[in-house]
Amino acid sequence: MSKPLPCPKRCNVLLIGGGGREHALAWKLKQSPRLGRLWLTDPSNAGLARLGQPCPHKYDKKDTFRLARWCDKNDINLIVIGPEAPLAEGAADALADQRRLVFGPSRVAAQIEADKSFAKQLMRQAAIPTAEGRVFDHADSARQYIEAHDEPCVVKASGLAAGKGAIVCDTQAEALDALDRIMVKREFGEAGDEMIIEEKLVGQEVSVLALVDGRTIWLLDPAQDHKQVGEGDTGPNTGGMGAYCPTPVLDAETLETVQREVFVPTVDALRREGIEFRGVLYAGLMLTPGGPKVLEFNCRFGDPECQPLMARLQGDLVEILWSTAAGTLRDVEIDFDPRVACCVVLCSGGYPGSYEKGKLITGIEDAEALSDDKGLVIVHHAGTTINHNGELVTHGGRVLGVTALAGDLQSARDLANRACEKIHFEGAFYRHDIGDRVLVRCKA
Ligand code: AMP
Ligand code: GLY
């Protein structure tokens, strides 16, 4: 076996992706004494653009050769891939080279997120606790199954569907409608070639993310996000309206169970298939009365979970990501700020439905100026850009992630909300109740 590449003292990094998660990663990478040049494939995000230089090529699965050649010429040592889509398309395989490493799993390893039926089969073989479910590749057999079962269920497109492919159904009629949308109307395109019907689990949802270098698994502090758009967890699902880390709903003992019963057997089962997972393995778990069960795996950092994680992470992110990609994760120290981080997402009016772009954004400096010796406010950009007049404007549904770091969740949430009040753009809205699942429970 060849010796792992040591992390260079000056590491030139190319970051693929342009959302809030990538701004948070770039923000933390910039704090590393090892960072040489930081290049960006998606510099239209105004927050990201301030931190790096634009790479002349976007990631394009049909033309990875050009990007790889550009990396050669510009001495790129490490490529960090943020989103799942390029990973599922094989970006890590296409861009890795003897001279540079890629942070993010190979195409086959990314199937754990991109192909839910693959993930389900893997979990079944390795006896990993998950919802009981069945995979279907024909609408007729799925319909017969639904007609024969009258319990609440979740109907899921097997492929990538931008977080919208899981439909929670309380009645048979809803399940038949979900089947129709996925397999007949093909709302999610090819992602609906196969479909999963699984039992509906109840409990608190937790995001446990781990860095995995093929063998070593390093669990990060658990986080929780709020997917639904409305206060009190109501209304349609979004990419995520806010997240906090750590969460007390998963105690140290349960986290150890998750390590033993979920992460270790998953990484082992992948290895038995000849697949070495290197990158972030993210388990979306439901804490059921029968113990934690896996809802889904992702092969990348969560968005917005990444924002509070990066706000708390201590240590050198270049070295941490490098060691994960090099297979030397054992040798690095990863620590977290003991304070709690809470991220509240400011959105465009109308999101997750249609919304207008180009609204002038003001007040970010005032929001960050709320930082003091007890609390810190960090504003990460998700959907922003600079317009023709050089002004900062909205450019997406999720516009900004306002993260506050404070002594406890209540203080962090209050500070993030106060910071959000300082920021203005037409139609802006956010959820004021991020963390209530924990805060209300503690008060009860
Ligand atoms: P997924 O794309 O599989 O993560 O599902 C998206 C969301 O649907 C999850 O975050 C849960 O809120 C919900 N969900 C997925 N599977 C289940 C399940 N078996 N029981 C209850 N809720 C689920
Ligand atoms: N916050 C959920 C996700 O990133 O999938």
Side-chain angles (χ1 to χ4, degrees), residues 21 207 225 227 239-240 282 296 298 300-305 398:
R21 163 183 48 213
S207 309
D225 76 340
K227 291 206 172 70
Y282 162 156
E296 64 161 347
N298 294 318
R300 36 102 193 148
F301 282 106
D303 190 346
E305 290 96 326
R398 290 193 290 172

Coordinates of all heavy atoms in Angstrom, one line a residue, residues 21 207 225 227 239-240 282 296 298 300-305 398, ligand 2:
R21 N -24.0 26.1 2.9 CA -23.1 25.1 3.4 C -21.6 25.4 2.9 O -20.7 25.4 3.7 CB -23.5 23.7 2.9 CG -22.4 22.6 3.0 CD -22.9 21.3 2.4 NE -23.6 21.5 1.1 CZ -24.6 20.8 0.7 NH1 -25.1 19.8 1.4 NH2 -25.1 21.1 -0.5
S207 N -29.8 14.7 13.3 CA -28.8 14.6 12.3 C -27.5 14.2 12.9 O -26.9 15.1 13.6 CB -28.6 15.8 11.4 OG -29.9 16.3 11.0
D225 N -32.4 19.8 12.7 CA -32.8 20.9 11.8 C -34.3 20.9 11.8 O -35.0 19.9 12.2 CB -32.2 20.8 10.4 CG -32.8 19.7 9.5 OD1 -33.4 18.8 10.1 OD2 -32.6 19.8 8.3
K227 N -37.2 21.2 9.1 CA -37.4 21.1 7.6 C -38.7 21.9 7.2 O -38.7 22.4 6.1 CB -37.5 19.7 7.1 CG -36.2 18.9 7.3 CD -36.1 17.8 6.3 CE -34.7 17.2 6.3 NZ -34.4 16.4 7.5
G239 N -35.6 23.0 2.2 CA -34.2 22.5 2.4 C -33.7 22.5 3.8 O -32.8 21.9 4.2
G240 N -34.4 23.3 4.7 CA -34.0 23.4 6.1 C -34.2 24.9 6.5 O -33.6 25.8 5.9
Y282 N -23.7 11.1 6.8 CA -24.7 11.8 7.6 C -25.9 10.9 7.7 O -26.5 10.5 6.7 CB -25.1 13.1 6.8 CG -26.3 13.9 7.1 CD1 -26.4 15.2 6.8 CD2 -27.5 13.3 7.6 CE1 -27.6 16.0 7.0 CE2 -28.6 14.0 7.8 CZ -28.7 15.3 7.5 OH -29.8 16.1 7.7
E296 N -32.6 8.1 6.6 CA -31.8 8.3 5.3 C -30.4 8.4 5.7 O -30.0 8.8 6.8 CB -32.3 9.5 4.6 CG -32.0 10.8 5.4 CD -32.1 12.1 4.6 OE1 -32.1 12.0 3.4 OE2 -32.1 13.1 5.2
N298 N -27.0 10.6 4.0 CA -26.5 11.5 3.1 C -25.0 11.4 3.0 O -24.4 10.9 3.9 CB -26.9 13.0 3.4 CG -28.4 13.2 3.4 OD1 -29.1 12.7 2.5 ND2 -28.9 13.8 4.4
R300 N -22.8 13.9 2.5 CA -22.2 15.3 2.5 C -22.7 15.9 3.7 O -23.5 15.4 4.5 CB -22.6 16.0 1.2 CG -24.1 15.7 0.8 CD -25.1 16.6 1.2 NE -26.5 16.1 1.0 CZ -27.5 16.5 1.8 NH1 -27.2 17.3 2.8 NH2 -28.7 16.0 1.7
F301 N -22.1 17.1 4.0 CA -22.6 17.9 5.1 C -24.0 18.3 4.9 O -24.4 18.6 3.8 CB -21.8 19.2 5.3 CG -20.4 19.0 5.9 CD1 -19.2 19.1 5.2 CD2 -20.3 18.8 7.3 CE1 -18.0 18.9 5.8 CE2 -19.1 18.6 7.9 CZ -17.9 18.6 7.1
G302 N -24.8 18.4 6.0 CA -26.2 18.9 5.9 C -26.2 20.4 5.7 O -25.2 21.1 6.1
D303 N -27.2 20.9 5.1 CA -27.4 22.4 4.9 C -28.8 22.7 5.4 O -29.7 22.2 4.9 CB -27.2 22.7 3.4 CG -27.2 24.2 3.2 OD1 -27.5 25.0 4.1 OD2 -26.8 24.6 2.1
P304 N -29.0 23.3 6.6 CA -28.0 24.2 7.3 C -27.2 23.6 8.4 O -26.5 24.4 9.1 CB -29.0 25.3 7.8 CG -30.2 24.5 8.1 CD -30.3 23.5 7.1
E305 N -27.2 22.3 8.7 CA -26.5 21.8 9.8 C -25.0 22.2 9.8 O -24.3 22.3 10.8 CB -26.5 20.2 9.9 CG -27.9 19.7 10.3 CD -28.7 19.3 9.1 OE1 -28.6 20.0 8.1 OE2 -29.5 18.3 9.2
R398 N -33.5 30.3 0.0 CA -32.9 30.5 1.3 C -31.8 31.5 1.0 O -30.9 31.3 0.2 CB -32.3 29.1 1.8 CG -33.4 28.2 2.2 CD -32.9 27.0 2.9 NE -32.1 26.1 2.1 CZ -31.4 25.0 2.6 NH1 -31.4 24.8 3.9 NH2 -30.8 24.2 1.8
Ligands
GLY2 N1 -30.7 19.7 6.3 C1 -31.0 18.5 5.7 C2 -30.1 18.1 4.6 O1 -29.1 18.7 4.4 O2 -30.3 17.1 4.0

